[in-house]
Amino acid sequence: MNTIFDNIIELPNKAIKERADGLIGFTDKFNRVFGNLRLLIDSEGLKEWSLRHHGVELAAVSMLADRHPLVILAGDVGTGKTVSAEAIADHAVRELDREGFFLRLSTRVRGEGLHGQMGGLVNDAFAQLKEQVGKKRVAFLLIDEADAIASSRSTLQMHQEEKAAVNTLIQKIDEVREMKGRAVIFMSTNRLDFLDEAIVRRAAVVVQFTRPSLEERIELFAKFLNGAELSESEIADLAKRTGPESNGGLGYTFSDLTLRVIPEAIAACFPDNKLSYSALIDTIKKVAPSPEIK
């Protein structure tokens, strides 16, 4: 188990919910993902909906049963993919009034020296996923940095055992449909174009994560600096200074702002001075946005 997963989290989880409360733009992403997952998880409710509103079970309802419970979260580093996967899973079990488990596949599965074992470890991971599933329990598997294990098989440099591992992964994703929505797979990637085409085609939904917009940066600064006695115009200026227009076309990521800019500004003021607008400006001048992964 330690070889396969970085951690296994019981859901619902208080710590995950608290982190989700700090996510900017989370509600829209959750509604889109959960709206699609609910069609798989609540198949009986979907049939009842069809009969209530249309008087028949629409052919489209039975067709939905063939969809794969696969969600791909794609976007740049630091845009909140991993924490959003946890938050979506936690929020989903709360909405469904169920219990669940969140399993994060270890990066060691595709680490050095394990390429020949990848197929077997993928098998083991999905076997554990099935074990966690129950009538009132939903299991979520996160494959982080998925492009490292699910790269396109058309890549000339790919070893045969790596292609076999991708084939195994596709087979296991197909098998998860038999669990009728009680198991959900998340894949996060910085490079969607590197994922195998057959895997991308199987996704029920692909969510693109981008660096925060001006409005999202204003919301972020206003939320995390509430009580710091900054004016609306100062908040707006901080948001402008951390946008792409002020940084050669590359704006700051969510994690740049929450884990680098704001903490470093606080560190510059602690313990003798209050957090100030000028300290934040000085920090922004020193801390550059994370480079974009291409």
Side-chain angles (χ1 to χ4, degrees):
M1 289 286 285
N2 291 335
T3 304
I4 303 172
F5 301 113
D6 283 330
N7 55 14
I8 299 176
I9 304 170
E10 291 188 28
L11 302 174
N13 181 279
K14 182 180 178 182
I16 290 178
K17 184 178 185 302
E18 290 175 351
R19 286 197 295 272
D21 291 340
L23 292 175
I24 306 297
F26 170 72
T27 300
D28 289 342
K29 292 183 177 69
F30 171 77
N31 287 340
R32 183 180 173 204
V33 173
F34 183 66
N36 279 274
L37 292 181
R38 191 165 191 168
L39 301 180
L40 300 169
I41 295 171
D42 191 11
S43 58
E44 291 303 315
L46 185 59
K47 292 177 183 178
E48 292 174 6
W49 164 83
S50 181
L51 292 171
R52 184 170 69 253
H53 290 283
H54 302 284
V56 297
E57 184 177 326
L58 298 175
V61 170
S62 58
M63 178 187 66
L64 289 171
D66 290 330
R67 298 177 85 201
H68 295 76
L70 171 62
V71 178
I72 296 178
L73 310 177
D76 206 355
V77 171
T79 50
K81 300 182 297 297
T82 301
V83 67
S84 291
E86 293 178 349
I88 290 168
D90 183 74
H91 205 54
V93 298
R94 293 175 189 274
E95 287 285 324
L96 295 166
D97 193 25
R98 297 188 186 182
E99 295 178 343
F101 283 90
F102 188 90
L103 303 87
R104 182 173 176 178
L105 191 67
S106 174
T107 55
R108 291 185 293 274
V109 168
R110 62 271 191 182
E112 292 183 11
L114 291 180
H115 282 312
Q117 303 173 30
M118 275 203 300
L121 290 170
V122 168
N123 265 317
D124 293 343
F126 277 82
Q128 289 294 329
L129 180 69
K130 289 182 179 181
E131 281 193 20
Q132 301 300 338
V133 167
K135 289 184 178 180
K136 289 284 289 181
R137 193 166 62 209
V138 185
F140 300 85
L141 172 65
L142 170 63
I143 303 175
D144 213 349
E145 300 177 20
D147 45 278
I149 193 173
S151 296
S152 174
R153 288 164 294 176
S154 62
T155 304
L156 294 177
Q157 294 85 355
M158 180 177 274
H159 297 292
Q160 191 60 40
E161 61 262 27
E162 292 175 312
K163 291 184 179 180
V166 176
N167 288 333
T168 299
L169 182 58
I170 292 171
Q171 177 189 343
K172 294 303 173 182
I173 291 171
D174 288 343
E175 291 177 2
V176 167
R177 285 186 298 178
E178 300 171 5
M179 295 183 224
K180 308 297 183 184
R182 290 172 294 148
V184 176
I185 306 158
F186 287 102
M187 286 187 173
S188 76
T189 178
N190 304 323
R191 302 177 296 181
L192 182 61
D193 292 345
F194 279 58
L195 287 187
D196 191 87
E197 296 83 355
I199 290 177
V200 177
R201 285 198 304 270
R202 282 165 167 76
V205 58
V206 177
V207 182
Q208 291 284 352
F209 283 69
T210 59
R211 299 190 179 212
S213 65
L214 175 63
E215 292 75 16
E216 288 173 329
R217 294 194 302 277
I218 290 174
E219 182 182 350
L220 186 150
F221 280 121
K223 171 178 279 190
F224 288 101
L225 300 178
N226 183 30
E229 300 176 0
L230 298 178
S231 67
E232 289 186 8
S233 62
E234 288 172 334
I235 292 288
D237 184 58
L238 293 174
K240 182 179 179 181
R241 287 173 182 266
T242 51
E245 298 81 7
S246 302
N247 297 280
L250 189 64
Y252 287 64
T253 68
F254 285 107
S255 62
D256 287 338
L257 299 176
T258 59
L259 300 180
R260 297 172 65 210
V261 171
I262 294 176
E264 190 162 330
I266 292 174
C269 298
F270 179 83
D272 298 320
N273 302 300
K274 70 177 184 180
L275 180 62
S276 64
Y277 169 66
S278 61
L280 287 156
I281 295 296
D282 289 342
T283 302
I284 290 169
K285 291 177 179 178
K286 296 174 185 175
V287 177
S290 297
E292 186 177 11
I293 291 183
K294 297 180 180 181

